[in-house]
Amino acid sequence: MNFTVTPSLEAEVDELITHYPVKRAASLMVLHAIQAQFGWVSPEAVQWTAKKLELQPINVLEILTFYPMLRQEPMGRHQIKVCRTLSCALGGAHELREHFCEKFGLDAHKHGAQTTPDGKFTVEFVECLASCGTAPVMMVNDEFYEGVTHAKADEIVGKCK
Amino acid sequence: MAQEYKLILKHADAPGYTPDIECYLRHGGYATLRKALALTPKNLADGKTLSAPEQIREEVKVSGLRGRGGAGFSCGLKWSFVDRKSGKPIYLICNADESEPGTFKDRQIMHKDPHQLVEGMILSCFANDVHLAYIYIRGEMVEGAKILNQALKEARAKGFLGKNISGSGYDLEMHVHRGAGAYICGEETGLIESLEGKRPYPRIKPPYFPAVLGLWMCPTIVNNVETLCNVKHIVEMGGAAFAQLGTPNNTGTRIVSLSGHVQRPGYYEIEIGKATIGELIHDPKFGGGLRPGRTLKAVIPGGSSAKVFKAGEKFKLKKKDAEGKEILVETDMLDLPYDFDSLAAAGSMSGSSAIIVMDDSTDIVEALANISEFYAHESCGQCTPCREGSLWMSKTLHRLTHGEGRAGDADYLVKIADNIPGGRTICAFGEACSWPVQSFVAKFKDEFVAKGAADEARRAQQAAAPAGQKPLAAAHH
Ligand SMILES: Cc1cc2nc3c(=O)[nH]c(=O)nc-3n(C[C@H](O)[C@H](O)[C@H](O)COP(=O)(O)O)c2cc1C
Ligand code: SF4
Ligand code: FES
């Protein structure tokens, strides 16, 4: 795996470290910054982060393995996160996820994140996204969408390159 | 007639109102901060003097402000617990993790009026001798984090953050810290661990009360977004005037998140206790009623952790009669005033002020299964009763909703739920995951038993059918 830290990423990380009196506190933000650039956090990235923050790699690994948003493997270019929780379920979240699974040839009965063979889309259920009044809601990468009808879903997916 | 009352959301949805500092300043923003920083020590009748920060703390106490994050704890009291003699720095953290299912109020504030939060935080920090503060925002709110970072940058450029704020000699720095998709980071000690760069394992209390041993083992204040915004208004109008809003012991306003089966889901700010649950659901100014042809089945009044109410449920509430004598009044669930105390008296809570409405089309067993799956996924795993119990309840509900249930599952669920809370766990998640199970099963027991019994009967029939004629089992996954 090619893990090369660009000067701009390093500068961003250095700036983040200044936000805390204890370096370790920057680790979550540093992993966010790394994931934003590489799409996931590789073992090399764990090593690099640990060194940068003067930690043992296990200190970084233990948070990487805890937080659902952090990825230990590459995901699809467009990560579709459909909210699964009650208000969205009442508003058709299951049907929405099934719609995506059908569209992309994924198995709707399978649990967890699934990626299309071409690596273009990942579809997964996530928990309440704090917009329950506009159910069903979802995210595609960092973008947030509300009141997602199947037609709207198709339109959003159509724009994914 | 119940009305909306927009204090915190006064500007948020006004046409042309934008989240930048210029707009905020045009609407009188940061004037309260300037005034507060210029306060001079006040001499009291008993010869004592109150410093400017002490005066603000006093106003917050007088205001009766209660936390808007979930527990409804007195803000003034919380601040009074802060160890000010330790010689260690005092930190303040804004809890912007907003992840209690059903809740979407903090999002509105942060996206639409971020400087109101920043001003409220600066005032709260000034009042508590804090020089470094964080906004812990949930990871999925990428846009919210950007908006807040921009707001901090603008506030810094205008001299409201940094060294010697507005020439007062007071220094304060503030940063945005993002979570990464774990509900338990909303629990204040889990949040602190997360901010320190560790797994968000909640800390045991005692001894780790944040006010004494918080962030980096220093005294720390953790308050919700909406709570901190209220501080701005308390300083602006005075604690006594603020206490006139709402109802006694339930002062001020609350932003209610309304979702589920109503015509007009959304967020509605009300004076606390001045609208009933029924008004919030049915009034055209609020939820606008159920969908045509539907009847009400159940209401979760304070986020998914709150105990459910069943349509038609009645409670005996204490009230004062004309002569001031305490009497018990039978009150329908829909007539409960939406406030901290009435909902607690009815055995539930206003929690994060999120109302989830379910009409008669709802399969109540499915609804509980959905909630329990959330808790099974989100338990941090430190305490055996919570880690195992939440998963066990979810698995039992999974089989009940997938044709594999048993008539005894209802009692079985309650037995598990009863063994989680009550001091057996490190944090209140233990309560949060058992309350829905206990209340759903208690109030809708027939449906749970019927579902399990039907599954049993079908299995018995299948077992009895002659070989070769076995009906196909229902499709399960
Ligand atoms: C499991 C759990 C999750 C919580 N999630 C949140 C949350 O997302 N946002 C929040 O403000 N408070 C949350 N709380 C409450 C906080 O622990 C804390 O009481 C609150 O932030 C204090 O602020 P307040 O006094 O201003 O309400 C949660 C509590 C528990 C037990
Ligand atoms: S009660 Fe549950 S969530 Fe809270 S610390 Fe224990 S295991 Fe973690
Ligand atoms: S339940 Fe989907 S956003 Fe809250």
Side-chain angles (χ1 to χ4, degrees), chain B residues 453-465:
Chain B
D455 287 351
E456 272 183 8
R458 203 192 49 255
R459 281 198 302 275
Q461 204 187 356
Q462 284 167 6

Side-chain angles (χ1 to χ4, degrees), chain B residues 67-71 73 78 95 97-100 106 183-184 186-188 222-224 227 427-429:
Chain B
R68 305 301 196 234
F73 193 78
K78 178 186 276 192
N95 189 341
D97 195 56
E98 188 154 72
S99 12
E100 173 76 10
D106 297 339
Y183 169 67
I184 199 58
E187 197 281 340
E188 55 188 11
V222 183
N223 274 129
N224 171 262
T227 312
C427 87
F429 185 107

Side-chain angles (χ1 to χ4, degrees), chain B residues 112-154:
Chain B
K112 297 169 185 168
D113 202 2
H115 282 286
Q116 181 184 189
L117 171 61
V118 175
E119 185 173 6
M121 283 184 70
I122 302 173
L123 285 162
S124 304
C125 289
F126 176 64
N128 288 287
D129 311 305
V130 170
H131 300 287
L132 181 56
Y134 296 94
I135 304 174
Y136 188 107
I137 185 169
R138 60 176 298 177
E140 296 88 340
M141 288 187 180
V142 188
E143 185 64 25
K146 273 191 201 139
I147 294 169
L148 287 169
N149 267 318
Q150 177 63 22
L152 294 184
K153 208 168 123 191
E154 291 168 349

Side-chain angles (χ1 to χ4, degrees), chain A residues 19-22 25 27-29 32 62 65-69 84-87 89 109 127-130 132-133 139, chain B residues 102-104 107 134 138 140 175 177-181 194-200 216 259 265 370 373-374 378 477:
Chain A
H19 293 182
Y20 309 91
V22 179
S27 41
L28 204 46
M29 293 298 280
H32 272 307
E62 70 186 6
T65 51
F66 189 93
Y67 293 94
M69 276 180 76
R84 184 207 68 85
T85 320
L86 186 57
S87 304
H109 296 322
E127 300 298 346
C128 178
L129 288 170
C132 329
M139 296 184 75
Chain B
T103 321
F104 47 97
R107 172 192 282 281
Y134 296 94
R138 60 176 298 177
E140 296 88 340
H175 301 288
H177 186 96
R178 292 178 58 208
S194 176
L195 217 165
E196 289 185 2
K198 302 172 191 159
R199 282 190 169 193
W216 300 301
S259 70
N370 182 293
E373 193 174 333
F374 171 82
E378 300 297 338
H477 40 266

Side-chain angles (χ1 to χ4, degrees), chain A residues 61-109:
Chain A
L61 197 61
E62 70 186 6
I63 69 171
L64 174 59
T65 51
F66 189 93
Y67 293 94
M69 276 180 76
L70 299 176
R71 308 292 200 178
Q72 290 172 267
E73 57 201 47
M75 293 280 156
R77 283 200 306 287
H78 306 282
Q79 296 173 32
I80 301 176
K81 300 179 178 186
V82 180
C83 171
R84 184 207 68 85
T85 320
L86 186 57
S87 304
C88 283
L90 296 174
H94 284 268
E95 294 78 358
L96 179 60
R97 177 175 164 278
E98 273 159 28
H99 178 73
F100 283 121
C101 287
E102 210 166 282
K103 202 172 163 81
F104 301 143
L106 301 169
D107 181 0
H109 296 322

